[in-house]
Amino acid sequence: MHRKLDLADIQGNILHAYGRTGFPLARCILLHVNQGRAAEARLFLDDLRHRVTTAALWRSRHTENLPPDAITAPKPDVAINVAFTFPGLIALGVPVRTLRGMPDEFQEGMLRRAPILRDVHDPHQPITQLWDPVWVAELEDQRHCVHVLITLYANASPEQFDSPRAALDASYQQLANQCGEDRGMKILRGHRGPGDTYQDMAVLAEPFKEHFGFSDSIGDPVFAGQYADEQRMQKVVRGQGKLTANQEWVPLATGEFLLGYADEAQEIPGAAMPNDFSRNGSFMAYRKMHQNVQAFDDYINHKAELYARIHSLDQEEARETLRAKMVGRWSDGIPLMHAPTYGQWQAERAALAAMPPGERELYQGRMLREFHYGDDPDGSRCPFSSHLRRSNPRDMLDPTTLQPGRGEAKKATSVLNNRRRILRRGLPYGQSGPGISDQEEHGLLMLVICASLFRQFEFIQQQWLQYGLDFDAGNDTCPLVGNHDDRSKFVIETAAGSGKPPFICDQMPQFVEVRGGAYFFIPSMTALRLIAQGLVDPT
Amino acid sequence: MPNYDAGHYFLSSLIPIQAGQIQENSLEQGPIDQDPLQEIPSRKPPLRRRIASPRQSQQPISHLHALREILAVLPRQNAALDPSRAGRDRGATASEAATAPFSRDLRTHFCRLVVIDDLTFVGRQHQDPIITTLRRQNPVIPKPVDHLPCAFLALILEFDAPDGSRQALRDYLHDLWEVMAEELTEIFQHCVGFDPARPAESFLRQVLDGQLETTFSFNDYYWQDKSPLLNQWPRVRRPPLIVAAIAIPLLFWLGPAGGLRWLLLGLSLLALLFWCYRRILKVGMEPFPAAPRSDLRSLLKGLYLQRKFIDFMIANQGVSAETLQAEFLQFVHDHQPRSVAAPTQPPGSIPA
């Protein structure tokens, strides 16, 4: 029995991936609380909080099953959300007794934890050169310290607004007019890219692809209370919740993603006091990740020649297979666990195209998400070291999974993975393609949401993406987003008895570079009111 | 014997640390400087001052403080082999002390030196109110709390040894002193029982006197998945079965009748059980056999070969069978897989 979540108290970006629900354009703004003007800054927030988008249900096809008297909200033109860094909470006057209950990693912040996260991929370059100035200016001058993040997502549904760009600009301008050196807050400068005072992101021309050409944001954890509609929950939980010993998919504990609820350890973890300050809030890691698209394509083309020769494939087949082996999914999202070879992938595509639309959607949803690695104990379908397997190992870390011949693989659960799940929000930024150099601004703005940055986000980043021990891969890092030096490699396993040796990708250039980021606290609407009114009372 | 298993000796020793303070300039002097250009040999300052804090303190310092300082700056790996780590350890800046001292002996797998201050007090013991009342005790008066009489230095070592005898341990400690006398002096002079006049003997005495039985050893290199007890189970099981098969019918046919027969039967069964129990304990104390090539030198060679073989694999992906064979012969020639001595990976380093 789960108590229903108080959706109107939870900020909408925690429960919704706006980019997938008709908000294709977005803008991130970083603000600084001017010294000695905390009261004015709180007034600004007190005004803003009435416009903040909550998780309250929007009228959509999913609300049709609700009773007629159920209250739903209209879909906003621009979804506004707000989050704070630790120095931001200090600047806004949150009492020390509350602040000391905040987790260590949040207090230290991403910039100081960059060595732990291995966010400096080139040891010869200081972080001040690698990251966008807006994130590192505070090292020189505290008056540039990032305090507040406001995200704006513009609605593009035709009935709402003609131009999402105009709505975004108008909303931004309204905020900018309230900020300045002589006001409570100022907008910080120093984002690389077209806008100096903001970071834009947008769904690419081919929807839901990222710059390397893969379909992105296919799976996301599903937790108790996330969907009011039980039927919908039953549908989405498969492959996205947790896998039990009877091989059922059930929702993860709410406390893995929202503060103030029991988590997978079956207890409510400690959080900053008072309870109503933390409850229904969460933490977010903001990551600006530059993608070296040219370098990635060049590398794949180069390695595909050798791969084609060894495995007797044609160049295109080898190219697509290498890309898929690195990621764990083919470029259209079909997982290697479902279609391990190029031929099977093509057959799957043809079968999908032949299905009637309603049936296709249902089948595709399950096929893309519902699989486990117990069926692939030697990594010959989906390499151990592939990005997909590293970032969400599902049942593969269960000790019974990796013992072929014991006949227990089918009973493996996801229990060692359940406390390392993250909600992924965010969108690509910039443009890439033929003739656009890697020096240009393009990549993915990743917004990671979880209840414990340390246990969930940082663990995945440090232990699973930047290290390989859990995947029997030694020091090897993730072939896609890991740091690569001249000894980095990526092993593509082959099935025993196939007669083919494993293929090793070596000399990988850096494909993804972190360009900035920070840790934020996403308060509930109650906590936002407490902060804005200066009423946080930890006693 | 728990101190020794599968070819490795697991040493645990607790050595009391001297209480109180000391004037720093009265501490043991460093080794004689063997500079041939100097006419009169001079003494180097002690290691701790050379690699940690060159300035000599005018204040008295505590033994515990000085010991912790030398432990903190003792190099833990050979910095020169891993340029990306150079300079991260403060100790690595002084070239003379830049080698991890425990890597100088090619038998040492792991070493850990830990200062134990005292037992942790985790609150008052629970007292049952009824029992306390019946015993006419006053529950308000707290029970005594245990403390260690002084701080201890825990020395935990794992090394290759031929057997678990006292002599094997002595030999190893003797060899260790040969290669790191200066560091050991610097550490053990702060412990009770160190004699500057006879440093080697007193070090040996300190470690041996403080030795505890290692009851929970950690070995990474077991190679038989059954314990010797299970392997020898038939040998353990057979004699009592044979004895029972002969003795029980004999008792019934030839032995005295009535209650005495049952008594004799019971007694002989008890004797058999006791014999089995002793036998199982004896077999259980036998160490696991040493895994082949699990000594440090072989392991270093194994790691070296692993790295080189990955390079070999990458360099020869997709080549013809003839080339592969020729290249492999070259690989064997270059890296000498059967030779433990060289080429190999130097100890004390963690290559990328």
Short mmCIF file of all heavy atoms in Angstrom, two decimals, chain B residues 39-65:
data_model
loop_
_atom_site.label_atom_id
_atom_site.label_comp_id
_atom_site.label_asym_id
_atom_site.label_seq_id
_atom_site.Cartn_x
_atom_site.Cartn_y
_atom_site.Cartn_z
N GLU B 39 85.53 14.21 4.25
CA GLU B 39 86.59 13.51 4.96
C GLU B 39 86.06 12.83 6.21
O GLU B 39 86.34 11.66 6.45
CB GLU B 39 87.71 14.49 5.33
CG GLU B 39 88.51 14.88 4.09
CD GLU B 39 89.59 15.89 4.41
OE1 GLU B 39 89.81 16.16 5.62
OE2 GLU B 39 90.19 16.40 3.47
N ILE B 40 85.29 13.57 6.95
CA ILE B 40 84.73 12.96 8.17
C ILE B 40 83.28 12.58 7.87
O ILE B 40 82.49 13.43 7.48
CB ILE B 40 84.76 13.95 9.34
CG1 ILE B 40 86.17 14.52 9.48
CG2 ILE B 40 84.26 13.30 10.63
CD1 ILE B 40 86.23 15.77 10.29
N PRO B 41 82.95 11.29 7.98
CA PRO B 41 81.56 10.91 7.72
C PRO B 41 80.62 11.59 8.70
O PRO B 41 80.89 11.64 9.89
CB PRO B 41 81.56 9.39 7.90
CG PRO B 41 82.87 9.03 8.48
CD PRO B 41 83.79 10.19 8.42
N SER B 42 79.54 12.17 8.15
CA SER B 42 78.57 12.84 9.02
C SER B 42 77.30 12.00 9.06
O SER B 42 77.12 11.09 8.27
CB SER B 42 78.24 14.22 8.45
OG SER B 42 77.64 14.07 7.18
N ARG B 43 76.42 12.35 9.99
CA ARG B 43 75.15 11.63 10.07
C ARG B 43 74.06 12.42 9.38
O ARG B 43 73.96 13.62 9.54
CB ARG B 43 74.79 11.40 11.54
CG ARG B 43 75.46 10.15 12.09
CD ARG B 43 74.93 9.84 13.48
NE ARG B 43 75.54 8.63 13.98
CZ ARG B 43 75.08 7.42 13.73
NH1 ARG B 43 74.00 7.27 12.99
NH2 ARG B 43 75.69 6.35 14.20
N LYS B 44 73.25 11.68 8.59
CA LYS B 44 72.07 12.33 7.99
C LYS B 44 71.05 12.57 9.09
O LYS B 44 71.03 11.84 10.09
CB LYS B 44 71.44 11.39 6.97
CG LYS B 44 72.20 11.19 5.69
CD LYS B 44 71.37 10.30 4.79
CE LYS B 44 72.12 9.91 3.56
NZ LYS B 44 71.34 8.98 2.74
N PRO B 45 70.19 13.56 8.90
CA PRO B 45 69.09 13.68 9.87
C PRO B 45 68.15 12.48 9.74
O PRO B 45 68.15 11.80 8.72
CB PRO B 45 68.39 14.97 9.45
CG PRO B 45 68.84 15.25 8.07
CD PRO B 45 70.16 14.57 7.87
N PRO B 46 67.35 12.20 10.75
CA PRO B 46 66.45 11.05 10.68
C PRO B 46 65.49 11.16 9.50
O PRO B 46 65.17 12.26 9.04
CB PRO B 46 65.69 11.10 12.01
CG PRO B 46 66.47 12.00 12.88
CD PRO B 46 67.24 12.92 12.01
N LEU B 47 65.03 9.98 9.04
CA LEU B 47 64.18 9.90 7.86
C LEU B 47 62.94 10.79 7.95
O LEU B 47 62.57 11.46 7.00
CB LEU B 47 63.75 8.43 7.70
CG LEU B 47 62.92 8.11 6.47
CD1 LEU B 47 63.76 8.22 5.22
CD2 LEU B 47 62.32 6.73 6.58
N ARG B 48 62.32 10.79 9.13
CA ARG B 48 61.08 11.56 9.27
C ARG B 48 61.32 13.03 8.97
O ARG B 48 60.51 13.69 8.32
CB ARG B 48 60.52 11.39 10.69
CG ARG B 48 59.20 12.09 10.93
CD ARG B 48 58.64 11.76 12.29
NE ARG B 48 59.55 12.14 13.36
CZ ARG B 48 59.61 13.36 13.89
NH1 ARG B 48 58.79 14.28 13.48
NH2 ARG B 48 60.47 13.64 14.84
N ARG B 49 62.48 13.54 9.44
CA ARG B 49 62.76 14.96 9.19
C ARG B 49 63.16 15.18 7.74
O ARG B 49 62.93 16.24 7.19
CB ARG B 49 63.85 15.45 10.14
CG ARG B 49 63.37 15.54 11.59
CD ARG B 49 63.67 16.91 12.17
NE ARG B 49 64.99 17.40 11.82
CZ ARG B 49 66.11 17.01 12.42
NH1 ARG B 49 66.05 16.14 13.40
NH2 ARG B 49 67.25 17.49 12.04
N ARG B 50 63.77 14.17 7.13
CA ARG B 50 64.17 14.34 5.73
C ARG B 50 62.97 14.39 4.80
O ARG B 50 62.93 15.15 3.85
CB ARG B 50 65.10 13.20 5.30
CG ARG B 50 66.42 13.16 6.01
CD ARG B 50 67.54 12.65 5.12
NE ARG B 50 67.31 11.32 4.58
CZ ARG B 50 67.49 10.18 5.27
NH1 ARG B 50 67.90 10.23 6.53
NH2 ARG B 50 67.29 9.03 4.70
N ILE B 51 61.95 13.52 5.06
CA ILE B 51 60.85 13.46 4.09
C ILE B 51 59.57 14.12 4.58
O ILE B 51 58.65 14.31 3.80
CB ILE B 51 60.54 12.00 3.67
CG1 ILE B 51 60.07 11.17 4.85
CG2 ILE B 51 61.75 11.37 3.01
CD1 ILE B 51 59.68 9.76 4.44
N ALA B 52 59.49 14.47 5.85
CA ALA B 52 58.23 15.06 6.32
C ALA B 52 58.41 16.52 6.70
O ALA B 52 57.94 17.42 6.02
CB ALA B 52 57.70 14.27 7.50
N SER B 53 59.11 16.77 7.77
CA SER B 53 59.24 18.16 8.21
C SER B 53 60.70 18.43 8.53
O SER B 53 61.22 17.97 9.55
CB SER B 53 58.37 18.39 9.46
OG SER B 53 58.53 17.31 10.35
N PRO B 54 61.39 19.12 7.63
CA PRO B 54 62.83 19.32 7.80
C PRO B 54 63.18 20.12 9.06
O PRO B 54 64.26 19.95 9.61
CB PRO B 54 63.24 20.08 6.54
CG PRO B 54 61.99 20.51 5.87
CD PRO B 54 60.87 19.68 6.40
N ARG B 55 62.24 20.94 9.51
CA ARG B 55 62.57 21.77 10.66
C ARG B 55 62.45 20.96 11.95
O ARG B 55 61.47 20.26 12.16
CB ARG B 55 61.63 22.97 10.72
CG ARG B 55 62.09 24.02 11.69
CD ARG B 55 61.22 25.23 11.61
NE ARG B 55 61.23 25.82 10.27
CZ ARG B 55 60.52 26.88 9.94
NH1 ARG B 55 59.73 27.44 10.82
NH2 ARG B 55 60.57 27.37 8.73
N GLN B 56 63.46 21.08 12.77
CA GLN B 56 63.42 20.35 14.03
C GLN B 56 62.60 21.12 15.05
O GLN B 56 62.79 22.32 15.23
CB GLN B 56 64.85 20.15 14.55
CG GLN B 56 64.91 19.26 15.76
CD GLN B 56 66.33 18.92 16.10
OE1 GLN B 56 67.16 18.70 15.23
NE2 GLN B 56 66.63 18.90 17.38
N SER B 57 61.71 20.43 15.69
CA SER B 57 60.84 21.09 16.65
C SER B 57 61.61 21.42 17.92
O SER B 57 62.42 20.63 18.39
CB SER B 57 59.66 20.18 16.96
OG SER B 57 58.92 20.73 18.02
N GLN B 58 61.35 22.60 18.47
CA GLN B 58 61.97 22.97 19.74
C GLN B 58 61.15 22.47 20.92
O GLN B 58 61.61 22.45 22.05
CB GLN B 58 62.11 24.50 19.84
CG GLN B 58 63.01 25.11 18.77
CD GLN B 58 64.40 24.49 18.75
OE1 GLN B 58 65.06 24.38 19.78
NE2 GLN B 58 64.86 24.06 17.57
N GLN B 59 59.90 22.09 20.61
CA GLN B 59 58.99 21.61 21.66
C GLN B 59 59.20 20.11 21.84
O GLN B 59 59.55 19.41 20.91
CB GLN B 59 57.54 21.85 21.24
CG GLN B 59 57.22 23.26 20.88
CD GLN B 59 57.19 24.17 22.10
OE1 GLN B 59 56.91 23.70 23.20
NE2 GLN B 59 57.50 25.43 21.91
N PRO B 60 58.92 19.63 23.04
CA PRO B 60 58.85 18.17 23.17
C PRO B 60 57.68 17.66 22.33
O PRO B 60 56.65 18.33 22.24
CB PRO B 60 58.57 17.94 24.66
CG PRO B 60 58.51 19.27 25.30
CD PRO B 60 58.58 20.33 24.27
N ILE B 61 57.83 16.50 21.70
CA ILE B 61 56.71 15.94 20.94
C ILE B 61 56.39 14.57 21.50
O ILE B 61 57.24 13.92 22.11
CB ILE B 61 57.01 15.85 19.42
CG1 ILE B 61 58.26 15.01 19.17
CG2 ILE B 61 57.14 17.21 18.81
CD1 ILE B 61 58.46 14.68 17.72
N SER B 62 55.16 14.13 21.29
CA SER B 62 54.78 12.83 21.83
C SER B 62 55.22 11.74 20.87
O SER B 62 55.31 11.95 19.67
CB SER B 62 53.27 12.76 22.07
OG SER B 62 52.61 12.47 20.88
N HIS B 63 55.51 10.56 21.43
CA HIS B 63 55.88 9.42 20.60
C HIS B 63 54.79 9.12 19.57
O HIS B 63 55.07 8.83 18.41
CB HIS B 63 56.10 8.18 21.48
CG HIS B 63 57.42 8.18 22.19
ND1 HIS B 63 58.61 8.01 21.52
CD2 HIS B 63 57.74 8.34 23.50
CE1 HIS B 63 59.60 8.06 22.39
NE2 HIS B 63 59.11 8.26 23.60
N LEU B 64 53.54 9.21 20.04
CA LEU B 64 52.41 8.90 19.17
C LEU B 64 52.38 9.84 17.97
O LEU B 64 52.15 9.43 16.82
CB LEU B 64 51.12 9.04 20.00
CG LEU B 64 49.94 8.17 19.62
CD1 LEU B 64 50.32 6.72 19.51
CD2 LEU B 64 48.81 8.37 20.62
N HIS B 65 52.65 11.12 18.25
CA HIS B 65 52.65 12.12 17.18
C HIS B 65 53.75 11.81 16.16
O HIS B 65 53.51 11.80 14.95
CB HIS B 65 52.88 13.51 17.80
CG HIS B 65 53.01 14.61 16.80
ND1 HIS B 65 52.05 15.59 16.65
CD2 HIS B 65 53.98 14.90 15.90
CE1 HIS B 65 52.42 16.41 15.68
NE2 HIS B 65 53.60 16.02 15.21
#
